[in-house]
Amino acid sequence: MASTTPQKISFKAQMLLARESAIIQSVNRLLAEKGFDAMTVDEVAADVGIAKASLYKHFPSKEDLAAAAMVSVMQRAQAFLDELPEESAPIDKLRSVVTWTMGLKLAGEMPSLPSQNSSLRSTLMGNKDYVDGLMDVSERLGAWIEMAQSQGAINPQLPPIAVLYTLYARACDPVLEFLKMAGLFSNDDIVALVLSTCFDGLAAR
Amino acid sequence: MASTTPQKISFKAQMLLARESAIIQSVNRLLAEKGFDAMTVDEVAADVGIAKASLYKHFPSKEDLAAAAMVSVMQRAQAFLDELPEESAPIDKLRSVVTWTMGLKLAGEMPSLPSQNSSLRSTLMGNKDYVDGLMDVSERLGAWIEMAQSQGAINPQLPPIAVLYTLYARACDPVLEFLKMAGLFSNDDIVALVLSTCFDGLAAR
DNA sequence: GTCTATAGGAGGATAGAC
DNA sequence: GTCTATCCTCCTATAGAC
């Protein structure tokens, strides 16, 4: 008993996690494709292949579904930061992160949430995993920003928080979609263009 | 009769336009404040001070309300472009336009529409006033962009359309709201910061 | 054109059986 | 925990009197 019970629990837990992982994957895709408001819980259930009521056994609300997707993205971001070579210059790390973020968006894997929805915001801010992840990422990026500024790689006159927000904003930059819709550029071209305008600006150097 | 009838019609038309102008003003404000999805037609009616059914006598759908607000903004933009001094350098005109746009957003007068809503898009693209205005503004900005590039004021390696989209995107840049929420900067500071990152980039010069 | 009242339907959430 | 069936609220849009 002492040996079998833990195994049974572990197996059940694994099944649970696998299903929730599948749910989050669907939510992630649908949030990227249609946005929070246009995404319906019925769609999520249909996409996962389970009944809507079952979905609500895993997540208590639509907002919590979105929060789970954001936690997932945040974890992927943390993993990406972990893998960046220690010896790289801070400015290069920042460029890498932005490049990764834009790649995620162009691949249709970046959830898009309305920044105004208050019930969503409160759910998000009440989610410890999300808040902790956001704090961790912000602190790491903030440290690199200040280092890059002291090294003269980033304009030291800019408040670090403005730089941080500007980098975050690349995750929901409509320029990426517009350029994609124009149909004139490859995804790599688009990333290179926006990376250039972000770090080097529109003005000639 | 021949003299009074036109006056009556003109007066009625004036009243109609005044009411519709009031409606558009409310829609504009509510769109800026809550976005298209969160804005309800009931709110608009209450804000204007008329019944919802009356609203639908003026505009056939919620999408048309939003389109009217966008037309209004586009007309204000055209008027602003008209007033720019002829002798200014193209780059300065572009900076002025972006500054004006961001000021509008910070003043809560820039409607925010979901770029993904298809019924809204089709209504917008079916609105001749809007499409014509957008084309006109785009062509004028496009000409200035190319001039600025040939003068070496804007990076000539950037495709003009990428520059145009980057400028347009300042109208819905979340960085403005984030910086405002941070509470550390005045509106003028925020405009100056985002203008700097937009044209000069994050990297030091 | 303005109103009151309501149709009509979408969508988030739940009841209760298994 | 999964299902079917349903509730219930909100919101767009319209009917019909004045």
Side-chain angles (χ1 to χ4, degrees), chain A residues 31 36-37 61-67 70 112-127 130:
Chain A
L31 280 182
F36 180 78
D37 290 308
S61 75
K62 185 186 178 183
E63 283 76 14
D64 286 281
L65 280 173
M70 290 306 295
S112 93
L113 305 182
S115 57
Q116 298 137 330
N117 188 323
S118 64
S119 79
L120 179 57
R121 281 200 82 79
S122 62
T123 300
L124 226 43
M125 291 313 168
N127 186 313
Y130 174 73

Side-chain angles (χ1 to χ4, degrees), chain B residues 170-188:
Chain B
R170 279 338 101 211
C172 58
D173 192 342
V175 172
L176 293 166
E177 311 156 30
F178 287 162
L179 288 178
K180 191 163 189 175
M181 280 196 306
L184 298 167
F185 312 97
S186 70
N187 280 5
D188 287 348

